[in-house]
Amino acid sequence: KKAKMILEKDFKVSEIDERIYGSFIEHLGRAVYGGIYEPGHQLADENGFRKDVIEMVKELGVPLVRYPGGNFVSGYNWEDGVGPREHRPRRLDLAWRTTETNEIGTNEFMQWAKLVNAEVNMAVNLGTRGIDAARNLVEYCNHPSGSYYSDLRISHGVKEPYNIKTWCLGNEMDGPWQIGHKTAEEYGRIACETAKVMKWVDPTIELVACGSSNRSMPTFAEWEATVLDHTYEHVDYISLHQYYGNRDNDIANYLAQSLEMDDFIRSVISIADYIKAKKRSKKTINLSFDEWNIWYHSNEADKLIEPWAIAPPQLEDHYNFEDALLVGCMLITMLKHVDRLKIACLAQLVNVIAPIMTEENGVAWKQTIYYPFMHASKYGRGIALNPIISSPKYDSKDFTDVSYLESTAVYNEEKEELTIFAVNRDLEEALQMECNIRNFDGYQLVEHIVLENENVKQTNAAKKANVAPHSNGNAVLENGIITAQIPKLSWNVIRLA
Ligand code: AHR
């Protein structure tokens, strides 16, 4: 099969906001305790943070980490996690039915984020709490000094304010599972009033309003419209969450699920713009895809976990090779929408539906999905291009006209680099790709990275990097045309400079 692509410097989607390579750490399972933080570990620093995990997170190049939840935040008292540790209460976390020790809280997490060179996307509790706790947390984190909460932070040893820029107004408030679940009207009102006071404390912050928990929610679309109707002039982003899974073991259909993600993104843009029109507003609301990933492998195991444990192994999906391909397709999909998609968080980062896993007292290791994410984060900075692609197509159970070639490209003007990301969804055959890069004069091929595996169900494990990329792809560049074989079921990164 053959596919063609044309890349032009001037065919642009937009500049990429690096926050699309964000991720997420929730107080859930072994993400915090036993993940980023394991004081007894031989590689722990003086504060108990695992240095091997820090190195892997830095290699992923995550510029933003959402915290502390997730469902957890809807029952969280942020005050429990600051000040002397010996005074911090143990609480029942009703979201995940565990016991939270509060050993790690805002200040420790901010310290860890600094070590991995990431900003924090802080969520406030709009489940059990509201306006007051939210404005106090902004004051604690961002106000310089001379007020109760800023001076409290200083008394906790943190002189300079954190100036946290991005904040989430609660989490998945449309979901009946959420502590303090709300109707769209109820949430819209509280989000609006909370947004106002948070910005009165610090007008420089940006706010994300909760969109639907996923595209299948019965209230989807109506929820976004109602919430934005209430909050439009006070918030900056509307959130999207979506997880996929190959429950029917139908890989052709599974790999096409990024088309649904594409449709989801387009729909939310339309809803936001409908409210813009309705309000005759000059302001544009952008998108924060602040939870996205694959999540289904661990569902059965999670049912067996005894309640009220401290940091039990929850949501520990072990990702296989086909999952890495879908993650690649999802990354490409997001790159196609960076004119409106400004924030995205791979959910999550360590141990919990994560690219990085840790063994207690043992090694940290990379899951299959680590690689496409790392490649996109590393090479996908600059301007997202809008390629013209022609590829053979297939139909699957839920989708029609699925391109075998899923691809896009990023142009880094400053570094003079061009990177093509490509997935071949074909189960049987390689694609012969021909890519015309006509006005990239003087560019040379740097490398053609390929992630491939004969076994789509192959996973990685501690000290077993079964699925890992190689740089032996066969792309060649001649007279402004790249020709490359894109192996069947593979993730490809073709780099030029
Ligand atoms: O990321 C895991 C959970 O998924 C989050 O806590 C919640 O927001 C979503 O349902």
Side-chain angles (χ1 to χ4, degrees):
K1 290 192 186 85
K2 289 191 173 150
K4 279 194 172 175
M5 188 162 165
I6 302 171
L7 292 174
E8 277 271 359
K9 271 186 193 169
D10 295 330
F11 295 175
K12 296 174 185 170
V13 179
S14 126
E15 185 77 35
I16 298 164
D17 188 322
E18 62 167 20
R19 292 177 298 173
I20 68 159
Y21 302 115
S23 189
F24 179 23
I25 289 280
E26 178 166 0
H27 280 251
L28 157 58
R30 299 191 307 124
V32 173
Y33 308 109
I36 65 170
Y37 177 75
E38 191 181 333
H41 193 279
Q42 54 168 354
L43 292 175
D45 69 7
E46 65 283 10
N47 296 310
F49 295 125
R50 281 183 67 151
K51 289 190 267 190
D52 51 352
V53 173
I54 289 171
E55 281 318 305
M56 282 189 191
V57 175
K58 277 165 74 178
E59 193 186 343
L60 275 184
V62 172
L64 183 79
V65 186
R66 187 164 173 252
Y67 176 85
N71 297 337
F72 171 79
V73 79
S74 298
Y76 184 51
N77 300 332
W78 67 267
E79 302 87 339
D80 290 348
V82 296
R85 274 190 168 138
E86 60 278 18
H87 297 148
R88 297 188 193 175
R90 279 184 171 217
R91 300 264 188 204
L92 296 185
D93 166 23
L94 302 181
W96 299 105
R97 298 180 67 73
T98 56
T99 301
E100 171 58 51
T101 64
N102 285 305
E103 215 173 318
I104 296 288
T106 303
N107 293 313
E108 292 81 17
F109 190 74
M110 293 305 295
Q111 201 173 22
W112 179 81
K114 200 169 171 196
L115 294 172
V116 299
N117 305 323
E119 300 283 327
V120 170
N121 175 6
M122 187 70 86
V124 299
N125 174 354
L126 292 189
T128 56
R129 306 193 76 189
I131 304 173
D132 201 37
R135 62 142 180 188
N136 293 344
L137 182 58
V138 179
E139 182 183 319
Y140 183 89
C141 292
N142 286 10
H143 196 70
S145 65
S147 66
Y148 179 79
Y149 284 104
S150 58
D151 290 343
L152 185 65
R153 181 197 70 240
I154 294 169
S155 79
H156 293 157
V158 184
K159 188 158 179 296
E160 297 304 323
Y162 294 119
N163 294 322
I164 296 172
K165 182 180 168 192
T166 318
W167 295 75
C168 294
L169 291 162
N171 176 71
E172 296 190 348
M173 301 308 304
D174 61 326
W177 59 87
Q178 201 67 213
I179 305 169
H181 165 224
K182 293 178 174 44
T183 65
E185 291 285 341
E186 288 166 346
Y187 173 69
R189 285 294 303 129
I190 187 144
C192 171
E193 295 305 318
T194 309
K196 270 163 51 184
V197 296
M198 287 172 77
K199 285 194 174 176
W200 285 342
V201 177
D202 181 355
T204 69
I205 61 174
E206 292 192 334
L207 296 172
V208 185
C210 287
S212 297
S213 300
N214 58 69
R215 189 173 163 273
S216 309
M217 294 298 290
T219 48
F220 169 59
E222 207 43 62
W223 172 275
E224 279 76 1
T226 308
V227 167
L228 285 176
D229 220 353
H230 283 289
T231 58
Y232 203 87
E233 293 304 332
H234 303 286
V235 304
D236 305 278
Y237 308 91
I238 181 89
S239 75
L240 297 83
H241 289 185
Q242 191 70 54
Y243 297 95
Y244 293 117
N246 191 4
R247 293 193 169 81
D248 305 332
N249 197 18
D250 176 348
I251 181 167
N253 199 51
Y254 180 54
L255 295 182
Q257 282 181 314
S258 59
L259 272 66
E260 192 195 281
M261 182 190 214
D262 188 82
D263 185 68
F264 188 19
I265 293 171
R266 286 174 197 278
S267 307
V268 176
I269 292 171
S270 307
I271 302 163
D273 290 349
Y274 158 67
I275 301 297
K276 178 179 183 171
K278 193 174 155 192
K279 289 184 178 291
R280 281 87 172 153
S281 177
K282 288 197 164 51
K283 179 177 173 185
T284 299
I285 295 288
N286 285 319
L287 273 49
S288 170
F289 215 125
D290 50 40
E291 286 188 33
W292 69 273
N293 202 350
I294 289 146
W295 171 15
Y296 77 107
H297 297 285
S298 59
N299 292 168
E300 291 308 309
D302 284 339
K303 291 181 189 150
L304 307 174
I305 291 174
E306 289 292 321
W308 316 125
I310 296 172
Q314 289 166 309
L315 281 62
E316 298 209 358
D317 271 39
H318 281 199
Y319 294 113
N320 59 31
F321 175 62
E322 65 187 13
D323 298 330
L325 296 178
L326 181 58
V327 162
C329 291
M330 291 167 89
L331 285 160
I332 292 170
T333 303
M334 288 192 278
L335 281 168
K336 291 180 188 169
H337 291 288
V338 289
D339 52 335
R340 298 296 294 274
L341 181 67
K342 302 295 176 186
I343 302 171
C345 300
L346 172 70
Q348 298 193 9
L349 186 55
V350 183
N351 288 332
V352 171
I353 42 175
I356 300 169
M357 300 296 290
T358 65
E359 304 293 308
E360 194 182 344
N361 289 316
V363 295
W365 53 277
K366 297 172 182 172
Q367 297 239 43
T368 62
I369 63 165
Y370 184 95
Y371 296 104
F373 187 87
M374 178 190 74
H375 293 147
S377 169
K378 202 164 169 184
Y379 304 120
R381 311 264 174 144
I383 294 164
L385 295 181
N386 195 356
I388 295 175
I389 296 175
S390 60
S391 160
K393 297 187 161 95
Y394 69 94
D395 293 343
S396 71
K397 185 164 89 32
D398 300 318
F399 301 92
T400 49
D401 285 337
V402 185
S403 278
Y404 283 110
L405 178 67
E406 185 60 80
S407 183
T408 197
V410 173
Y411 170 41
N412 192 321
E413 206 165 3
E414 206 183 310
K415 292 189 174 168
E416 299 193 318
E417 288 176 0
L418 173 67
T419 306
I420 299 168
F421 300 106
V423 171
N424 180 2
R425 293 190 175 99
D426 199 325
L427 277 68
E428 312 287 341
E429 271 181 55
L431 268 173
Q432 302 304 324
M433 186 179 83
E434 204 182 277
C435 178
N436 186 327
I437 56 162
R438 42 195 176 192
N439 63 358
F440 286 91
D441 297 334
Y443 276 66
Q444 311 271 324
L445 197 93
V446 177
E447 62 178 337
H448 176 181
I449 304 168
V450 185
L451 188 68
E452 57 186 336
N453 205 286
E454 275 307 312
N455 176 7
V456 292
K457 303 296 179 195
Q458 182 68 63
T459 53
N460 288 344
K463 298 186 185 159
K464 284 202 188 95
N466 303 316
V467 179
H470 65 74
S471 289
N472 300 328
N474 73 357
V476 283
L477 171 66
E478 231 173 348
N479 302 325
I481 309 275
I482 303 166
T483 45
Q485 178 165 305
I486 309 295
K488 67 175 184 187
L489 295 179
S490 64
W491 158 257
N492 297 254
V493 184
I494 301 175
R495 299 183 51 227
L496 299 106

